[in-house]
Structures are given as C-alpha cells and as structure tokens.
C-alpha cells in the first residue's frame, strides 16, 4: 500500500502542485504518521527511487518526468538521501523532525 502513496506524492511534487515539505506535512497531519513520503524516500535512498522510476519509465512513460527531475536535482549533485547527508532534507537534523514542523 505504501508504493501507490509514494508515487502519488512524487507526482504532486513533479507537477509542482506542492513542495516536498507541504506534502509531508499534510501526510503526517492527516494520517498521524511520524514520517511523510519524502522523508521515507530519503531513508530508502534517492538512487533507489531513481532506479525504480528509470526501470518503470521503459514501460510507463508517465514515470519519465520523475526520473528526469530526480536525476537533475538529486542524482547528479549527489543528494542521495539520508545516508549521503542530503536528499529532500538535510541530515542529521531534518526539518520534519523539529517540534515546529507540523505547526506550519
């Protein structure tokens, strides 16, 4: 069940409906979850998400914009997620972990 939610979140981000923090905030408030989809993607690793999008883009062209945006904004600059110190958030102190994150 997690994968469709992650795909939906990334589609909103790619289409610039909202930024990653607002999507995470809405997810966390709505579902009472300790992490939003983009925090989860940072944990999984942006390189993993990119490789899955790239593989899926071969049969589903709707995945191409996600693959391209991840490549340009994260893969090429080396912002590969939590293990690299930067992804959608900066580590070790990501903004989603602050007490005030859900107050905005």
């Amino acid at each position: 069940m997690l994968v469709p939610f992650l795909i939906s979140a990334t589609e909103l981000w790619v289409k610039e409906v909202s930024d990653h923090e607002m999507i995470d905030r809405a997810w966390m408030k709505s579902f009472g979850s300790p992490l939003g989809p983009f925090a989860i993607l940072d944990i999984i690793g942006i390189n993993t998400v990119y490789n899955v999008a790239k593989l899926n883009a071969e049969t589903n062209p709707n995945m191409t914009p996600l693959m391209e945006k991840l490549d340009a904004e994260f893969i090429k600059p080396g912002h590969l997620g939590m293990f690299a110190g930067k992804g959608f958030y900066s580590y070790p102190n990501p903004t989603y972990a602050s007490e005030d994150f859900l107050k905005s």
Side-chain angles (χ1 to χ4, degrees):
M1 290 176 54
L2 180 63
V3 172
F5 285 116
L6 294 176
I7 290 171
S8 294
T10 59
E11 286 177 350
L12 293 172
W13 173 71
V14 167
K15 293 177 181 177
E16 298 182 353
V17 172
S18 188
D19 66 33
H20 71 277
E21 285 191 349
M22 289 301 295
I23 295 168
D24 274 1
R25 197 173 281 116
W27 177 298
M28 292 165 72
K29 284 182 176 181
S30 297
F31 297 108
S33 174
L35 299 172
F38 292 95
I40 293 168
L41 293 173
D42 272 359
I43 292 167
I44 292 169
I46 305 301
N47 55 330
T48 301
V49 177
Y50 170 79
N51 287 329
V52 170
K54 186 176 178 180
L55 181 65
N56 286 325
E58 293 175 10
T59 57
N60 180 357
N62 292 332
M63 295 299 285
T64 300
L66 172 60
M67 180 193 68
E68 291 172 348
K69 188 167 175 125
L70 288 173
D71 186 42
E73 295 183 23
F74 294 91
I75 301 299
K76 287 181 179 166
H79 305 307
L80 304 178
M82 182 182 281
F83 73 91
K86 184 163 177 57
F88 286 96
Y89 295 95
S90 295
Y91 298 88
N93 300 308
T95 55
Y96 66 80
S98 76
E99 290 181 21
D100 296 332
F101 185 72
L102 296 180
K103 293 179 182 176
S104 299

